[in-house]
Amino acid sequence: MSSTAPTRTPHANSPEPHAATAPAVAVKGVGKTFGATEVLKGIDLTVPAGATTCLIGPSGSGKSTLLRCIAFLEEATKGTITIKGDPLGFAEAANGQRTRLSPQNIRSVRSRIGMVFQQFNLWPHMTALGNVCEALVTVRKMKRKEAEERGMAQLSRVGLEHRATHYPSELSGGQQQRVAIARALALDPEILLFDEPTASLDPELTGEVLNVMRDLAGSGMTLLVVTHEIGFAATVGESIAFLDHGRLLLNGTPREVFGEPRHPRLAQFLETYLDRGAATLL
Amino acid sequence: MSLDFGLIIEQMPDILSGLWVTLWIWVVASILGAALGFLVAAARRYGPAPLDWLLKLYVEILRGNPFLIQLFLLYFGGPFIGLRLEPIPAGLIGLTIYASAYFSEIFRAGFQAVPRGHVEAAQCVGLSRSQILRRILLPEMTMLVLPQCVNMAIILIKETAILSIITVPEMTMVIGAIGSQQYAFVDAMFLLAIFYWVLVEICDWLGRRAEAKLSKFRFAVT
């Protein structure tokens, strides 16, 4: 599917990891600072291919920043990120020297990643179908008709083929987010990133988006999800990563992470969660 | 003051030709001014820092003094640096440059008003910088800046009257001349006021229709 040739890194001595065995995403020693604030303090995380990994943690723990680094919307200040073995943005030599890769290389590696945002970020001047087809036509140079057929297939995958000609302002939040998922799917990404996809939705609309994500997870897509939906993480996530203050505190299966004995920091986090949940119920 | 309609009808061919000159200079200067203003705003956003400073100076100078003075400098000062222009080209160029400064500020604000996430979404699906500019920023900005652009166009209709002082045969010059010849100067000015007002109202109406057409593209409420 991807036309990317394996990229040669200056790391000449070590053999290229084979794409079939390489994890979907490998994060090594990634740090990120904004001015004087150190948001990520050396993260090591492996995202297995074909599985759903959920990033959880309190606000400000750095989980969204980590996801945005993997989407290359932020550039990590330290460390490396590889997508199926291919370095993203920077190549690191044996001596730790980082060199920036060419824009073409960055774009081709990035094109294998799909991103879904908290704020949907649909383009308001295009219909649902237009949003889904845009990159197929402008980037993949597909014929309009062919792109629209493919776009319609993606819209029906999220159950919205009947809304194809609607503009984003004519859709509910849940529908907009499903269009955004279809837009990301249209490019056939090897991995889909979600940045708190339901955080700006009413509880009622959250379900329809989570259902689409459940279907995707079931179909064997690689998903990496930053979420506050602990229930979703525990039931759909096959791997859970718990971040706190810019560090990866826990990483394992839901049973390992959520089961007893619980890490005190996680217990505290889940506690505030229950408090808030209880507060909204009262 | 008594409006002599007979006189108006008698002079109709001249009046219409003045109206025509006003109209076309206004439309062409607005379009060219908006295009140039867009280029200035884009260059300031994407160009190197020195270009940004240079263009900022361009905008500040043009906004910092009256159009009347700028037009004088272009038309009467131009020959000193070998720039000899006929009245109509001088008026058209002067008005275009003057408009570009204001349009560039409108577009600059427009660039900033497009949500960052819309650009990030485009980057994520692989659109290049120029594709993002063409396919995302420009259309989204158009709906955001349309009201200010209509407002600017309205200001420009009225600025065209100033072209009369460098003898561009537009509405104010033609009707003013008729008024002077016929000793009916106030009547002529009254007629002009009505003409300008009608033009402004038409422009405003067109602008509101365009806004209504674009309203379904408004930002989705999340």
Side-chain angles (χ1 to χ4, degrees):
Chain A
M1 183 91 291
S2 147
S3 57
T4 338
T7 15
R8 199 102 312 264
T9 63
H11 205 163
N13 290 339
S14 77
E16 290 288 335
H18 194 266
T21 55
V25 183
V27 175
K28 284 198 192 83
V30 160
K32 174 73 187 172
T33 49
F34 289 106
T37 322
E38 198 180 7
V39 183
L40 296 177
K41 300 167 184 166
I43 302 269
D44 292 298
L45 176 69
T46 302
V47 177
T52 298
T53 303
C54 292
L55 279 172
I56 59 168
S59 299
S61 59
K63 55 195 190 306
S64 277
T65 305
L66 176 60
L67 194 81
R68 288 172 59 82
C69 284
I70 296 170
F72 209 63
L73 289 170
E74 307 286 354
E75 294 181 14
T77 30
K78 270 194 320 204
T80 55
I81 295 170
T82 55
I83 307 297
K84 290 256 169 83
D86 297 323
L88 172 71
F90 298 91
E92 197 172 51
N95 61 7
Q97 185 78 37
R98 288 209 313 170
T99 42
R100 202 188 166 84
L101 297 167
S102 70
Q104 295 91 317
N105 178 292
I106 292 175
R107 266 215 270 167
S108 96
V109 175
R110 258 184 111 172
S111 73
R112 294 153 62 188
I113 304 167
M115 175 82 176
V116 177
F117 299 84
Q118 179 182 342
Q119 299 295 344
F120 330 135
N121 289 334
L122 293 181
W123 302 305
H125 56 294
M126 297 180 195
T127 60
L129 186 60
N131 267 275
V132 178
C133 293
E134 178 59 25
L136 294 176
V137 176
T138 52
V139 182
R140 299 276 164 100
K141 307 290 176 211
M142 222 178 243
K143 293 231 164 46
R144 171 70 42 198
K145 196 173 172 314
E146 198 187 336
E148 281 181 358
E149 275 168 24
R150 184 151 170 178
M152 283 307 286
Q154 300 309 325
L155 281 177
S156 63
R157 201 164 163 190
V158 298
L160 283 176
E161 65 273 37
H162 59 295
R163 290 280 184 269
T165 57
H166 286 56
Y167 286 89
S169 63
E170 301 165 332
L171 299 171
S172 74
Q175 290 172 334
Q176 287 181 57
Q177 191 60 301
R178 282 150 68 198
V179 172
I181 293 172
R183 174 173 71 181
L185 284 174
L187 295 167
D188 240 322
E190 291 167 35
I191 167 166
L192 258 189
L193 309 177
F194 291 82
D195 189 5
E196 303 194 25
T198 59
S200 47
L201 294 175
D202 292 341
E204 255 182 292
L205 301 176
T206 299
E208 65 185 64
V209 172
L210 291 182
N211 282 338
V212 167
M213 291 168 65
R214 257 186 213 107
D215 287 347
L216 289 175
S219 75
M221 244 338 280
T222 306
L223 308 185
L224 178 57
V225 187
V226 167
T227 185
H228 285 298
E229 296 287 332
I230 301 298
F232 175 85
T235 54
V236 181
E238 287 145 277
S239 163
I240 306 288
F242 177 63
L243 265 74
D244 189 36
H245 289 112
R247 290 204 168 80
L248 182 68
L249 270 193
L250 301 167
N251 186 198
T253 64
R255 190 173 293 276
E256 286 162 358
V257 172
F258 292 122
E260 305 288 347
R262 239 177 230 165
H263 189 284
R265 197 59 197 98
L266 177 67
Q268 199 186 353
F269 169 67
L270 293 176
E271 201 69 28
T272 61
Y273 233 84
L274 290 176
D275 284 351
R276 261 185 291 157
T280 51
L281 283 178
L282 290 171
Chain B
M1 184 183 82
S2 58
L3 274 181
D4 183 345
F5 289 102
L7 188 64
I8 295 171
I9 290 165
E10 207 173 284
Q11 306 283 355
M12 209 35 128
D14 282 351
I15 293 176
L16 283 180
S17 103
L19 180 67
W20 168 243
V21 171
T22 290
L23 263 181
W24 82 255
I25 289 188
W26 166 58
V27 170
V28 173
S30 295
I31 292 170
L32 292 180
L36 186 59
F38 178 76
L39 290 179
V40 168
R44 287 189 66 182
R45 186 182 164 96
Y46 295 111
L51 185 62
D52 179 25
W53 303 328
L54 211 65
L55 291 172
K56 184 176 159 57
L57 191 67
Y58 167 86
V59 171
E60 294 300 315
I61 289 173
L62 286 167
R63 292 202 310 168
N65 53 66
F67 176 51
L68 179 72
I69 312 288
Q70 293 169 18
L71 197 61
F72 267 140
L73 284 174
L74 177 67
Y75 186 66
F76 297 112
F80 288 103
I81 56 164
L83 186 68
R84 231 167 275 277
L85 291 169
E86 292 296 308
I88 288 183
L92 190 62
I93 292 170
L95 195 60
T96 298
I97 291 175
Y98 171 77
S100 73
Y102 290 89
F103 275 118
S104 83
E105 287 295 286
I106 292 172
F107 287 125
R108 205 163 69 94
F111 273 128
Q112 284 161 0
V114 174
R116 211 183 131 70
H118 293 190
V119 174
E120 288 184 345
Q123 290 170 339
C124 282
V125 294
L127 266 67
S128 69
R129 242 182 182 195
S130 68
Q131 286 170 333
I132 291 174
L133 186 64
R134 250 183 319 113
R135 302 285 306 166
I136 310 295
L137 285 172
L138 196 53
E140 286 201 30
M141 253 169 62
T142 306
M143 7 184 229
L144 289 167
V145 301
L146 189 69
Q148 288 114 292
C149 286
V150 170
N151 195 38
M152 188 62 213
I154 286 174
I155 291 172
L156 288 175
I157 298 184
K158 294 176 287 179
E159 295 286 18
T160 57
I162 290 180
L163 303 186
S164 62
I165 59 151
I166 60 162
T167 68
V168 174
E170 50 66 73
M171 209 159 64
T172 298
M173 178 172 159
V174 170
I175 297 182
I178 295 169
S180 305
Q181 282 159 17
Q182 309 287 340
Y183 298 102
F185 198 67
V186 176
D187 304 51
M189 289 301 125
F190 184 68
L191 191 64
L192 271 174
I194 291 173
F195 276 9
Y196 280 110
W197 187 42
V198 168
L199 285 181
V200 166
E201 285 302 319
I202 291 171
C203 176
D204 195 38
W205 177 76
L206 286 172
R208 266 182 285 128
R209 268 191 48 151
E211 274 173 57
K213 273 238 157 78
L214 289 175
S215 70
K216 73 170 158 194
F217 305 144
R218 72 188 180 279
F219 290 166
V221 189
T222 58

